[in-house]
Amino acid sequence: MLLALLSCGILRAEETKFFSNPVFAHDWADPDVWQGDDGNFYTFSTAGAKYSGGQAKFLWSEDRIRWDTIPDYVWTLETLSQIKKYGDNIWAPQVVKVKNQWLMYLSCYTSESKSAIVVLKLNSETFPTKDGLHGPWTFHSVLTQSSVSKINDTIDPFVVEDPETGKVWMFFGGVGRGHRV
């Protein structure tokens, strides 16, 4: 019996994969991680939005342990200029496929009364695109602004599509009176 228990323990130890944290030893706050249509995993973060002069970078991984940057820029400087109209800082991204369209939701923040959530889109139904590119993502629209909704600190979007009804829901953080958006 003891031999059987020892052999089970040895077998489990051999199956265990060890890695050290952090898996990406850089500033990578507010990350979003998703699986692309190619089966690889991707991440984007608040720090990713600041990468390389504001042109932003994704990271990718086959196993969610070893991460590398992608040489493509996430967006063009023109798109960055459109985003910055709604806030000086870009925070807490979320990338999600909604109704066969890849979308990126971003918090744009200058102050509690000047904050917004914008959405970018990938001009392809696949991520990465059929030619292997990861962008550029283009400005699509502004979804909500604190100056209009009167909800201060309009930040941290989270979007989900209900698999049964197909309805798309967005939840976000804010300070102030409760509102339905």
Side-chain angles (χ1 to χ4, degrees):
M1 178 73 165
L2 182 59
L3 182 59
L5 290 174
L6 287 174
S7 65
C8 287
I10 292 169
L11 180 61
R12 284 192 190 122
E14 289 174 1
E15 291 175 359
T16 303
K17 293 182 180 180
F18 294 95
F19 59 93
S20 62
N21 272 319
V23 293
F24 183 68
H26 302 280
D27 180 9
W28 206 253
D30 304 321
D32 185 33
V33 177
W34 68 95
Q35 190 169 22
D37 295 317
D38 62 356
N40 290 319
F41 296 91
Y42 296 88
T43 182
F44 192 58
S45 75
T46 297
K50 297 176 184 175
Y51 202 103
S52 188
Q55 284 191 289
K57 293 279 187 170
F58 286 123
L59 299 178
W60 77 280
S61 174
E62 292 178 343
D63 59 10
R64 291 174 282 184
I65 296 171
R66 290 176 296 277
W67 293 89
D68 290 309
T69 58
I70 294 172
D72 301 348
Y73 288 118
V74 175
W75 52 60
T76 64
L77 292 176
E78 177 185 339
T79 297
L80 178 62
S81 176
Q82 289 176 299
I83 295 168
K84 294 276 190 163
K85 290 177 187 175
Y86 299 97
D88 296 331
N89 300 293
I90 302 166
W91 289 350
Q94 186 199 14
V95 175
V96 63
K97 193 171 192 176
V98 175
K99 300 187 186 307
N100 291 321
Q101 175 68 61
W102 282 99
L103 301 171
M104 180 187 301
Y105 296 84
L106 297 167
S107 301
C108 300
Y109 188 89
T110 298
S111 67
E112 65 181 30
S113 62
K114 186 180 181 196
S115 55
I117 295 173
V118 301
V119 63
L120 308 182
K121 67 179 182 172
L122 184 64
N123 293 323
S124 172
E125 287 188 6
T126 60
F127 180 89
T129 61
K130 291 176 184 160
D131 56 8
L133 296 176
H134 302 85
W137 294 69
T138 57
F139 187 85
H140 181 62
S141 63
V142 59
L143 297 179
T144 184
Q145 298 178 71
S146 60
S147 62
V148 175
S149 69
K150 304 301 182 213
I151 301 172
N152 286 339
D153 291 326
T154 300
I155 58 170
D156 300 338
F158 181 80
V159 176
V160 64
E161 183 176 7
D162 184 328
E164 291 185 23
T165 66
K167 289 184 179 181
V168 178
W169 297 90
M170 181 178 76
F171 303 87
F172 63 92
V175 178
R177 300 186 322 234
H179 291 274
R180 286 187 179 169
V181 178

